Amino acid sequence: MAIRPVLKMGHPVLRQVATPVVRFDHELQGLIGDMDETMRSLSGAGIAAPQIGVSQRVVIFEVRENPRYPHVSPVPYTVLINPELTPLGDEMDEGWEGCLSVPGMRGLVPRYHRLRYRGFDAQGAPFDRTVEGFHARVVQHEVDHLDGILYPQRIRDLRDFGFEDVLLTQMTPMPD
Ligand code: NI
C-alpha cells in the first residue's frame, strides 16, 4: 500500500467516465489499499479511483463520529464498486462539500436526500442499501467522480463557492 498523489481539478483523468471493474483480483485489492491509505493520510471522507489516476469505477468512503462535527452522522467504511444509484423521491438537500481534488475550497451543493445504491464490495459480493442525508450525499459526491463530475459543477450559485478558511466562519451546520 502507498499514499498516492491526488489529482487536482483540471486534470483530464478527473473529467473522464471511468470504466467498470471486471476482475476482483489482486490488482484491485492493491488499488483499494492505496485509496484507503491516501484518503486516511488526508483525513478525507471518501475517495474515488480517478483521483489517484486510475479510471475505474471504484470508490471508498467512511465518516467517523467526530465531536467537532456533531451534526454529521457517521457513515460505515464502504468499498463500492460499479455503483448504480437510484434517487428515491424528488427531495433535495443543500449541503457544504469539499473534495481532495479541490483543496482548500468548499461549495454549497444540492443532492438527493434519499437514495438506493447497489454495487459490489472488494471481494465482488453484491450489496444494496437505502440511505439518506449525509450518507446519501457522500455516495453522490464519490460516484460523480466516476462520471467525470466534480462538485463545483453542481453548485447552483457560484457565490456559494469559496475558500474553506473564510467560509467556515459563516457556515451554518446542515442537520441531516
Ligand atoms: Ni471528491
Side-chain angles (χ1 to χ4, degrees), residues 64-109:
R64 295 194 180 172
E65 300 240 30
N66 186 333
R68 285 171 58 217
Y69 304 105
H71 55 284
V72 171
S73 314
V75 178
Y77 177 76
T78 303
V79 175
L80 175 60
I81 297 168
N82 298 347
E84 269 185 68
L85 269 53
T86 311
L88 300 173
D90 298 328
E91 190 188 341
M92 307 289 284
D93 297 329
E94 294 266 358
W96 290 96
E97 295 187 10
C99 180
L100 299 176
S101 294
V102 193
M105 309 292 287
R106 293 287 178 100
L108 194 60
V109 182

Side-chain angles (χ1 to χ4, degrees), residues 33-153:
D34 286 358
M35 289 169 63
D36 201 79
E37 205 166 314
T38 305
M39 175 179 80
R40 288 176 199 287
S41 77
L42 297 166
S43 305
I47 194 167
Q51 292 182 278
I52 58 166
V54 179
S55 193
Q56 290 195 38
R57 302 187 79 78
V58 182
V59 305
I60 66 176
F61 47 85
E62 176 181 42
V63 179
R64 295 194 180 172
E65 300 240 30
N66 186 333
R68 285 171 58 217
Y69 304 105
H71 55 284
V72 171
S73 314
V75 178
Y77 177 76
T78 303
V79 175
L80 175 60
I81 297 168
N82 298 347
E84 269 185 68
L85 269 53
T86 311
L88 300 173
D90 298 328
E91 190 188 341
M92 307 289 284
D93 297 329
E94 294 266 358
W96 290 96
E97 295 187 10
C99 180
L100 299 176
S101 294
V102 193
M105 309 292 287
R106 293 287 178 100
L108 194 60
V109 182
R111 299 287 187 187
Y112 288 103
H113 175 67
R114 198 158 176 267
L115 61 84
R116 176 182 182 189
Y117 68 95
R118 281 171 285 186
F120 299 87
D121 70 12
Q123 280 69 48
F127 65 99
D128 184 333
R129 285 181 186 159
T130 295
V131 299
E132 58 183 34
F134 193 69
H135 190 153
R137 171 172 301 278
V138 170
V139 174
Q140 289 167 86
H141 175 113
E142 296 309 329
V143 172
D144 262 357
H145 277 293
L146 306 181
D147 294 322
I149 297 165
L150 297 177
Y151 81 82
Q153 293 165 251

Side-chain angles (χ1 to χ4, degrees), residues 21-41:
V21 168
V22 287
R23 272 185 286 281
F24 291 80
D25 58 7
H26 187 72
E27 203 178 321
L28 177 68
Q29 307 314 318
L31 169 65
I32 292 166
D34 286 358
M35 289 169 63
D36 201 79
E37 205 166 314
T38 305
M39 175 179 80
R40 288 176 199 287
S41 77

